[in-house]
């Protein structure tokens, strides 16, 4: 098995390193990279204007990577009076590390669908909710919180940008290295991967690879694009991906 990891730096390199340590053949080709978001200047004011018991959601560890320095520059710390929620364990740990606060996350599966089912989020009428995320993204969490009576605001902490590759060159490279397993952690990257390569590479190689994804929604989309051998990992962190690859 030769594995191609498409998730962003540095998580891609970390997963490849762990796979190689375990004796596997693995390579990294990050499909997206990150830059600071447009909402960072407004973040300190938005955070400090929240009242005791209001909600803060972090939808990726990249949000913390950009948000925490922005708060530090403004001399603002993460208020202890708020309730913090993260999309998954890695993000929760990253926020706890910089803030010292308890962070709740869905243990069952790291998705918006599971997060919004947490008992504490059923009664949120009258509360304000601040969602720290990248540019765009799914609206399910915000829409559900609004339906339950919360006042929802977004902060764009980072932007995702597609990395530019030459599809024909990359197709030859990965076919020569006999890549037969792909790791993809978002719908955006799945579409990018599908569109990157010439049609002949898609038909002869790409769609025949085994695909490791991180949600049923992604698996459904992959099947629509033409993949047949699809496995859903238990989560989006590297530990869960390693288990799925074993």
């Amino acid at each position: 098995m030769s594995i191609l990891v498409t998730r962003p730096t540095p998580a891609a390199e970390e997963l490849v390193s762990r796979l190689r340590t375990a004796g596997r053949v693995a390579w990294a080709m990050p499909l997206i990279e990150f830059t600071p978001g447009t909402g960072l200047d407004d973040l300190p004011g938005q955070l400090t204007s929240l009242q005791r018991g209001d909600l803060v959601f972090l939808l990726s560890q990249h949000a913390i990577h950009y948000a925490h320095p922005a708060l530090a520059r403004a001399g603002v710390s993460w208020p202890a009076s708020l309730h913090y929620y993260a999309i998954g364990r890695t993000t929760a740990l990253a926020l706890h590390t910089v803030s010292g606060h308890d962070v709740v996350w869905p243990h069952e599966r790291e998705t918006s669908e599971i997060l919004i089912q947490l008992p504490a989020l059923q009664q949120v009428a009258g509360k304000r909710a601040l969602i720290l995320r990248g540019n765009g993204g799914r609206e399910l969490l915000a829409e559900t919180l609004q339906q339950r009576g919360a006042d929802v605001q977004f902060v764009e902490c980072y932007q995702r940008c597609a990395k530019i590759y030459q599809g024909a060159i990359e197709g030859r490279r990965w076919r020569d290295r006999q890549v037969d397993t792909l790791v993809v952690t978002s719908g955006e990257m799945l579409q990018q991967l599908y569109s990157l390569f010439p049609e002949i590479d898609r038909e002869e190689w790409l769609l025949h690879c085994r695909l490791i994804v991180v949600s049923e929604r992604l698996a459904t989309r992959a099947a629509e694009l033409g993949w047949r051998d699809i496995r859903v990992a238990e989560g989006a962190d590297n530990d869960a991906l390693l288990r799925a690859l074993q």
Side-chain angles (χ1 to χ4, degrees):
M1 189 191 294
S2 184
I3 304 161
L4 186 63
V5 178
T6 67
R7 71 181 322 177
T9 297
E13 287 76 10
E14 191 227 346
L15 181 55
V16 165
S17 175
R18 291 174 68 180
L19 285 164
R20 289 177 175 175
T21 299
R24 314 297 283 276
V25 179
W27 314 89
M29 185 181 72
L31 288 173
I32 59 173
E33 55 193 353
F34 300 103
T35 57
T38 59
L40 290 173
D41 288 344
D42 298 329
L43 173 62
Q46 286 178 283
L47 199 60
T48 53
S49 72
L50 295 176
Q51 304 296 309
R52 174 173 292 277
D54 281 342
L55 317 171
V56 178
F57 294 86
L58 290 112
L59 298 193
S60 91
Q61 56 186 318
H62 306 293
I64 302 156
H65 175 79
Y66 287 101
H68 186 66
L71 293 176
R73 285 192 297 273
V76 171
S77 58
W78 299 90
S81 59
L82 305 176
H83 295 304
Y84 293 94
Y85 296 88
I87 194 74
R89 177 179 175 273
T90 306
T91 305
L93 198 59
L95 179 58
H96 175 74
T97 300
V98 298
S99 71
H101 302 321
D102 290 337
V103 185
V104 178
W105 83 93
H107 293 239
E108 182 185 336
R109 191 175 280 279
E110 300 181 359
T111 66
S112 301
E113 287 89 344
I114 303 298
L115 177 63
I116 203 65
Q117 290 173 22
L118 292 173
L121 295 178
Q122 303 312 302
Q123 306 293 329
V124 295
K127 292 189 181 295
R128 290 174 64 195
L130 202 59
I131 298 178
L132 280 58
R133 64 174 190 174
N135 50 317
R138 301 184 67 213
E139 306 295 340
L140 174 73
L141 176 64
E143 288 170 359
T144 309
L145 289 169
Q146 285 167 338
Q147 286 164 8
R148 294 175 185 171
D151 174 18
V152 178
Q153 291 180 304
F154 293 109
V155 182
E156 184 196 282
C157 293
Y158 64 94
Q159 292 193 342
R160 293 181 299 273
C161 315
K163 291 195 73 168
I164 305 303
Y165 292 99
Q166 298 296 323
I169 294 171
E170 296 303 323
R172 282 196 300 276
R173 184 202 310 274
W174 303 123
R175 291 180 72 166
D176 287 347
R177 290 180 176 177
Q178 298 182 316
V179 165
D180 59 5
T181 303
L182 309 165
V183 176
V184 181
T185 54
S186 80
E188 180 184 8
M189 286 186 270
L190 182 70
Q191 189 63 54
Q192 198 180 332
L193 186 68
Y194 178 84
S195 303
L196 174 63
F197 299 103
E199 188 174 354
I200 189 165
D201 286 325
R202 277 206 300 269
E203 292 178 355
E204 291 182 357
W205 161 69
L206 189 71
L207 294 175
H208 296 283
C209 288
R210 183 185 204 194
L211 190 65
I212 308 293
V213 296
V214 297
S215 70
E216 295 294 344
R217 180 175 54 86
L218 258 183
T220 300
R221 181 62 187 132
E224 290 169 353
L225 288 170
W227 272 281
R228 293 292 169 258
D229 188 357
I230 305 165
R231 180 165 186 177
V232 181
E234 295 166 1
D237 61 289
N238 280 345
D239 289 339
L241 291 168
L242 268 175
R243 288 194 295 274
L245 286 161
Q246 286 157 358

